[in-house]
Amino acid sequence: MVEIYGSTLQTLVRNDSHFGDYKCKVANPLGIVEQIMKWRKRQKPIGRSRFQLKRAFTDGLKLDIRSVKFSSVLDNMQTIGYRVEYMSENEFKYCVGNWSYAKRRYFVSRRDGRRFMVTRLQTNTTYLMRAASFNVAGLNDWKVR
């Protein structure tokens, strides 16, 4: 896809032969730039070991989300953070359970704690929530609360 100020290359990876080194070459009146891009096979995170409500406030929730750090997983493939999606019960029914309409919050993993705040919620409202951990390869499977 070519745009006014850039372009995007998308490929459908059907097998391992699509991984490897690709040369990206860009030219304009100011010059030429080349860069080698390394496409490597990666694995999405294993998942969360905990997804729990710790405390409810009038307009928000404090969540406890944790992941296990595995010694067998490369450091650059460990969990980076979490994506929490949420919808009110009425929104969920109106959208016929389609989570693509949910609100999203991203949280970066922290060493000092694993508690995360979801704020600006409506009072006296039931919410459905789900969480997934992510790394550079993408999201793991969802866990619903």
Side-chain angles (χ1 to χ4, degrees):
M1 170 181 6
V2 177
E3 301 169 8
I4 295 173
Y5 295 106
S7 60
T8 303
L9 170 65
Q10 292 181 326
T11 61
L12 179 60
V13 177
R14 296 177 192 250
N15 58 52
D16 288 351
S17 70
H18 291 102
F19 296 109
D21 294 350
Y22 288 79
K23 183 189 288 187
C24 178
K25 186 174 184 178
V26 179
N28 67 20
L30 298 175
I32 298 173
V33 175
E34 286 186 12
Q35 185 171 351
I36 302 294
M37 307 299 290
K38 298 179 182 294
W39 288 19
R40 302 288 181 251
K41 187 174 184 176
R42 302 290 190 217
Q43 186 171 342
K44 64 184 180 178
I46 305 288
R48 299 123 352 270
S49 60
R50 178 181 293 192
F51 176 37
Q52 183 177 12
L53 174 65
K54 288 309 269 185
R55 189 167 179 197
F57 302 95
T58 56
D59 65 343
L61 301 169
K62 184 184 282 189
L63 303 173
D64 184 1
I65 310 171
R66 300 180 190 196
S67 292
V68 176
K69 184 171 181 173
F70 295 97
S71 58
S72 61
V73 176
L74 297 173
D75 281 342
N76 66 348
M77 295 307 294
Q78 295 287 353
T79 296
I80 296 171
Y82 306 97
R83 182 165 99 184
V84 174
E85 293 186 349
Y86 55 97
M87 301 173 77
S88 72
E89 192 173 44
N90 288 339
E91 290 170 327
F92 190 78
K93 289 176 185 174
Y94 181 77
C95 296
V96 195
N98 185 345
W99 281 96
S100 62
Y101 295 100
K103 295 173 184 73
R104 294 183 178 133
R105 290 285 313 269
Y106 289 88
F107 300 103
V108 176
S109 291
R110 302 178 308 204
R111 295 180 199 274
D112 63 339
R114 295 175 177 94
R115 300 221 168 106
F116 306 98
M117 293 290 297
V118 177
T119 57
R120 298 185 185 144
L121 300 178
Q122 297 174 355
T123 58
N124 298 319
T125 303
T126 301
Y127 282 89
L128 288 88
M129 306 189 100
R130 65 183 191 170
S133 55
F134 65 89
N135 65 11
V136 295
L139 290 171
N140 76 323
D141 299 327
W142 291 99
K143 186 172 184 178
V144 179
R145 264 291 169 243

